[in-house]
Amino acid sequence: MREEEIEKLRGVVRDCLSKHLYSSAIFFADKVAAFTSDPADIYMQAQALFLGHHYRRAFHLLNASQIVLRDLRFRYLAAKCLEELKEWDQCLLMLGDAKVDEHGNVNDTKDCNVMYLDKEGEDREINISSALCFLRGKAYEALENRAQARLWYKAAIKADPLCYEALECLIENHMLTSEEEATLLSSLQFAPEDGWLSSFYSCLIKKYDKETVVEAKFTELEKQSCNINPSDPVICTLKNNTDLLACKAEYYHQCGEYQKCFELTKILLEKDPFHVKCTLVHLAAAMELGNSNELYLMACNLVKDYPQKGLSWFAVGCYYYCIKKYDQSRRYFSKAANLDGTFPPALIGCGNAYAAQEEGDQAMLAYRTAARLFPGCHLPTLYIGMEYMRTHSFKLAEQFFMQAKIICPSDPHVYNELGVVAYHMKEIIIRYNKAVWWFQKTLSLIPSSLSEMWEPTIVNLAHAYRKLKMYHEAISHYEKALTLSNRSLSTYAGLAYTYHLQDTFPVAITYYHKALQLKPDDQFCTEMLTMALVDEARRGLDPRN
């Protein structure tokens, strides 16, 4: 058979693969390989077998060839076959015994002399070494060696910043702290034309910067444009890109702007109903808003479309949690965690469901499991501290809050909890001064303008000022809290008590009445109102007044 006829058959194989006609591709690729015995044609045959789900046959073909240990493409595809067969130890053996250090630098002298033969390689392709590193990471993660998986994922993204899957695993599985994510991103060597990609990656990692900084990143990306046809006046940008807008929605949720987040994710899901990240953020926003109807609809649709995904059953758990049926919610959160062992919200949700029923030991178990599996996520550690605080174990609570601070030093929620712990410590003066410092630190780290979510922090700060007898500062912060929410009993009660301590009885009486309008049977306000009325009456009878 002539060369041009062989080339025509190769074209048929490629066309069959592009049209997903795998049996046809396998048939013709086998004949081409028989005619030529060319390594590139053997590889094409193996590729067709792999895409046709004939993993064992593809592996045998690759392993039988003498070139498998000399061509990285052969080795990588053979390892991919073993990955699909779930033979993880054999997969690692096929990939070789390279070593990686803590910074993601690979030392593999054996691969220095290995060929990489690819006749059809394009100008821009993912570095094969990066793909090998990523596959090592997948294998180690499957073997539950998450420490090694983390190092190999870092090695993969450092070997080629275009290997997005490695970064995705590091971020979604919370393998790095916020500081480690930023350090890794700054170490990546992007090509000059990939400046937009660097900006995009910076939007994917944990975002605890000030609102102006984060919004500037989003604005910079939205301005990225592409005008392929100069004669076409329409310029395409990333402004309406679903991934970018999902990142923005995630940031809104993090800032406590739940309604804004919910409205954005609702629009995005109309455009792309099956976007996983957007779906998760939408569920979280609906939970915070108490929108049980939306959660019910989302859960029904997800279970119908993706019954084997953890996210679907997590949505069911969210619905039951929202309507306060914690037993059912816990059951579905557990099912989600069993289906997807790399899904942190399921374990955290399970812990929260136990905590809502005051089953502290079971909640702790769920949180500790999440903290072990996802070392870059500070929320399990934060929740463990909150459980210890609920049982008045303030020293232990403080230890876990400090651990959470190390993992994520920019989350204001952590500093708020440290302030609450300091407020309840035994050392009278020291504890209130420490509490004031932590609450002030919390407010300084809030990325956006103050919202109702931060009203308790301002009230707590006012309480600490009152304990230190700094009444003017306390009153100022109580009044600031009222501008965020005028339906808080503790704010009115604290304001009334502060005026009471200053012997400003008429104002104190007014605020006690406002507090009792919100909760008429509140014992503290009822007793203190009586005392304030008596004190005011006595002062009126005092001839010195």
Side-chain angles (χ1 to χ4, degrees), residues 202-390:
S202 69
C203 291
L204 293 174
I205 64 174
K206 296 180 180 74
K207 298 172 281 290
Y208 288 97
D209 296 321
K210 283 294 183 183
E211 185 178 25
T212 51
V213 177
V214 178
E215 287 290 351
K217 289 180 182 178
F218 286 128
T219 304
E220 180 188 349
L221 269 174
E222 287 169 358
K223 289 179 180 177
Q224 292 287 338
S225 62
C226 177
N227 191 7
I228 298 172
N229 185 1
S231 61
D232 188 351
V234 178
I235 298 176
C236 299
T237 69
L238 291 173
K239 187 173 183 179
N240 296 316
N241 178 260
T242 311
D243 284 342
L244 182 61
L245 291 175
C247 288
K248 188 177 278 193
E250 186 180 42
Y251 180 68
Y252 289 151
H253 180 272
Q254 186 179 292
C255 294
E257 298 181 30
Y258 302 123
Q259 188 61 43
K260 199 172 178 180
C261 171
F262 181 81
E263 289 169 1
L264 178 55
T265 51
K266 196 167 183 64
I267 293 168
L268 289 178
L269 288 174
E270 289 173 2
K271 179 182 174 183
D272 185 354
F274 306 105
H275 194 284
V276 175
K277 184 174 183 177
C278 185
T279 301
L280 183 58
V281 177
H282 187 69
L283 291 171
M287 277 277 289
E288 294 292 347
L289 295 170
N291 193 336
S292 57
N293 290 339
E294 183 69 18
L295 288 169
Y296 179 80
L297 289 171
M298 288 290 293
C300 288
N301 291 332
L302 285 167
V303 169
K304 181 184 70 175
D305 294 327
Y306 299 112
Q308 297 304 315
K309 279 190 176 288
L311 177 64
S312 304
W313 300 103
F314 173 75
V316 179
C318 287
Y319 167 71
Y320 281 114
Y321 190 95
C322 187
I323 62 173
K324 296 182 169 53
K325 291 189 176 181
Y326 299 116
D327 284 330
Q328 289 95 322
S329 73
R330 191 175 66 231
R331 190 180 311 130
Y332 288 109
F333 285 143
S334 297
K335 183 171 183 176
N338 290 333
L339 282 171
D340 187 353
T342 60
F343 189 52
L347 277 172
I348 294 172
C350 198
N352 288 349
Y354 277 119
Q357 295 179 301
E358 297 189 358
E359 296 184 31
D361 291 341
Q362 294 297 325
M364 287 284 203
L365 180 62
Y367 293 144
R368 287 181 190 279
T369 303
R372 176 175 57 82
L373 294 177
F374 313 109
C377 182
H378 68 293
L379 293 178
T381 311
L382 180 65
Y383 288 140
I384 291 170
M386 291 169 74
E387 276 300 298
Y388 276 123
M389 193 161 61
R390 187 175 64 80

